[in-house]
Amino acid sequence: DDTTKVEISKTAVISSENETNIMNFSEFNDDEEVQNVYNFLLKIGFDENEIDKIYSDAVSGKIDDEYLMQIVNSKSIELLDLAQLLAMKADGRLEKLAEKYGEYLAYVGEINAKNEKNISEELIGAVLQIIDKDGNVVDEWITGSEKHFIEGVLTANETYTLHEVSAPDGYVLADDIEFTVSADGSVDKVTMVDDTTKVHISKTDITGDKELPGAKLQIIDENGNVVEEWISTNEEHIIEGKLIAGKEYTLHEEIAPDGYVVANDISFTVSEEGSVDIVVMKDDTTKVRISKRDITTDKELPGAKLQIIDENGNVVEEWISTNVPRFIEGKLVAGKTYTLREITAPEGYEIVTDIQFTVNEDGTVTEVVMYDEHKPEKPNKPDTPDNENPKTGYDAGYINIYLAVMGVCVIAMCLSRCKTKNKSEE
């Protein structure tokens, strides 16, 4: 008697990274005249399958006037369109389309063959079992680069189950497959296909409306190893066939884009059934509130020209204070230190010294208050008299008289002394 023969093949679905998309005819074709004929056929009611048939018939030499009349009878083609179709046949344009369409079908065949080759490659590292109807494991192996061949072991006409115990990293377990062994000695071919794990990482702002470019992100496994790292763009990040089904990973933001704060880590577990795992991480904005106040009243002080200066001396924000604080969101960098500088103070106030502050990294509002003091008041000047020589307690005229009397007295005393001396000498 002939032996039973079973060939087990373990393959993977075509990864989107390896699959080649097939262009349609309009994308493939580079001949404008041919495209016009193709568009005309679509316009009068032909679909792609019918055009395929026309091509086959053209290759077989079946396109003649009678052929065209059969098409006319099968479709509601207007007389003007029919006349144009006959003209295309007469001047060779239909034949030119047929030639180009033949090139297109050859291209499609090549791509299909390439994709078929991708899917037919054996998947290494899966643990598989053959289980009989009583639940006994009759064969077990780890898949390699060759198909697994079982001869003379399984019983003809018996039904068995192909079961996957563990899938290779980056793939998910396939569903069990039941098969019945042939009794005629022919080879029973059983193919089990593993799907890939698929994780889509979306990095958005706090609103979640759009992707946020510029964040440095990492996927970290349970052992703390970085298994994926990238800079976010305007598109979500797709990881296919890399993360292990059933395992837990951490999405970690290493660096947030300017104007945003680093988000908390997100843990996620990769699905085991091949569905797409979508992980969304949202970044909050940085928020800074600048308050310019009167030191005595503690109220907002309008009219001051203020600047925020970064560590490199660049002015990143400038404004005139008003009756409400200045709120700056999504502009300053989290964790960076800035300088608040008053360029001009409101009238009657002194310019205050610079204030340095660091933007909060947790998304909370960084509060900065700058106080202005009033300029000191100048002392009042005394009233200036009308005369240039102010009085000092005595009238100037009396002083002059006093001085004249004193002079007369001195002269009189001198004369008296002279007379006394003369008498003595006599």
Side-chain angles (χ1 to χ4, degrees), residues 64-226:
D64 52 20
D65 293 343
E66 184 179 352
Y67 181 95
L68 293 176
M69 289 306 299
Q70 290 177 352
I71 293 176
V72 172
N73 292 332
S74 65
K75 294 183 176 294
S76 299
I77 301 178
E78 296 181 0
L79 290 178
L80 289 176
D81 291 335
L82 176 60
Q84 188 172 351
L85 189 60
L86 291 172
M88 289 178 176
K89 177 184 178 299
D91 61 20
R93 282 180 287 171
L94 278 178
E95 184 178 352
K96 192 174 181 181
L97 169 62
E99 292 175 358
K100 195 67 176 181
Y101 206 79
E103 296 176 11
Y104 172 67
L105 292 181
Y107 153 77
V108 172
E110 291 176 2
I111 299 302
N112 284 333
K114 181 180 178 180
N115 288 340
E116 183 66 26
K117 181 181 179 181
N118 287 338
I119 197 171
S120 63
E121 293 178 351
E122 292 297 308
L123 183 61
I124 300 173
V127 178
L128 302 181
Q129 294 176 339
I130 301 292
I131 303 173
D132 65 18
K133 61 182 179 180
D134 298 319
N136 302 309
V137 177
V138 296
D139 196 11
E140 182 177 273
W141 71 101
I142 298 175
T143 59
S145 58
E146 302 292 333
K147 297 175 182 178
H148 185 66
F149 197 76
I150 307 169
E151 184 173 5
V153 175
L154 306 184
T155 304
N157 292 325
E158 289 290 332
T159 298
Y160 295 87
T161 300
L162 174 60
H163 172 69
E164 185 171 22
V165 178
S166 64
D169 291 351
Y171 293 86
V172 297
L173 293 173
D175 295 332
D176 290 349
I177 298 175
E178 287 189 349
F179 64 95
T180 301
V181 180
S182 300
D184 59 2
S186 60
V187 178
D188 297 306
K189 296 183 178 181
V190 183
T191 300
M192 176 177 276
V193 180
D194 274 5
D195 200 356
T196 55
T197 58
K198 306 174 190 70
V199 178
H200 292 196
I201 307 294
S202 181
K203 182 58 168 179
T204 70
D205 60 14
I206 196 66
T207 64
D209 292 335
K210 60 181 180 179
E211 293 294 317
L212 182 62
K216 183 178 180 181
L217 302 175
Q218 295 175 337
I219 300 291
I220 303 173
D221 66 16
E222 294 171 328
N223 298 318
N225 301 310
V226 177

Side-chain angles (χ1 to χ4, degrees), residues 121-348:
E121 293 178 351
E122 292 297 308
L123 183 61
I124 300 173
V127 178
L128 302 181
Q129 294 176 339
I130 301 292
I131 303 173
D132 65 18
K133 61 182 179 180
D134 298 319
N136 302 309
V137 177
V138 296
D139 196 11
E140 182 177 273
W141 71 101
I142 298 175
T143 59
S145 58
E146 302 292 333
K147 297 175 182 178
H148 185 66
F149 197 76
I150 307 169
E151 184 173 5
V153 175
L154 306 184
T155 304
N157 292 325
E158 289 290 332
T159 298
Y160 295 87
T161 300
L162 174 60
H163 172 69
E164 185 171 22
V165 178
S166 64
D169 291 351
Y171 293 86
V172 297
L173 293 173
D175 295 332
D176 290 349
I177 298 175
E178 287 189 349
F179 64 95
T180 301
V181 180
S182 300
D184 59 2
S186 60
V187 178
D188 297 306
K189 296 183 178 181
V190 183
T191 300
M192 176 177 276
V193 180
D194 274 5
D195 200 356
T196 55
T197 58
K198 306 174 190 70
V199 178
H200 292 196
I201 307 294
S202 181
K203 182 58 168 179
T204 70
D205 60 14
I206 196 66
T207 64
D209 292 335
K210 60 181 180 179
E211 293 294 317
L212 182 62
K216 183 178 180 181
L217 302 175
Q218 295 175 337
I219 300 291
I220 303 173
D221 66 16
E222 294 171 328
N223 298 318
N225 301 310
V226 177
V227 297
E228 183 86 349
E229 185 175 74
W230 72 99
I231 303 297
S232 64
T233 66
N234 292 319
E235 303 290 336
E236 63 181 6
H237 185 68
I238 298 176
I239 308 169
E240 184 173 356
K242 186 171 186 178
L243 304 185
I244 301 174
K247 293 291 186 180
E248 184 177 276
Y249 294 86
T250 299
L251 174 60
H252 171 71
E253 183 171 24
E254 188 73 10
I255 302 173
D258 289 352
Y260 293 85
V261 297
V262 172
N264 295 327
D265 290 350
I266 296 177
S267 296
F268 64 94
T269 301
V270 180
S271 300
E272 298 185 81
E273 71 276 5
S275 60
V276 177
D277 298 306
I278 298 176
V279 184
V280 179
M281 174 178 275
K282 297 181 179 182
D283 273 5
D284 200 356
T285 54
T286 57
K287 305 173 188 69
V288 177
R289 182 161 38 228
I290 308 292
S291 180
K292 183 64 174 174
R293 302 180 190 176
D294 183 307
I295 196 169
T296 57
T297 64
D298 202 35
K299 293 182 178 179
E300 291 297 318
L301 182 61
K305 183 178 181 180
L306 302 174
Q307 291 179 341
I308 292 180
I309 302 170
D310 66 16
E311 295 171 328
N312 298 318
N314 302 310
V315 176
V316 295
E317 186 85 354
E318 184 177 79
W319 72 100
I320 303 298
S321 64
T322 65
N323 290 320
V324 294
R326 179 78 166 186
F327 193 72
I328 306 166
E329 184 174 6
K331 187 170 186 179
L332 305 186
V333 180
K336 294 290 185 180
T337 298
Y338 294 86
T339 299
L340 174 61
R341 177 170 296 166
E342 184 172 28
I343 303 302
T344 57
E347 186 176 353

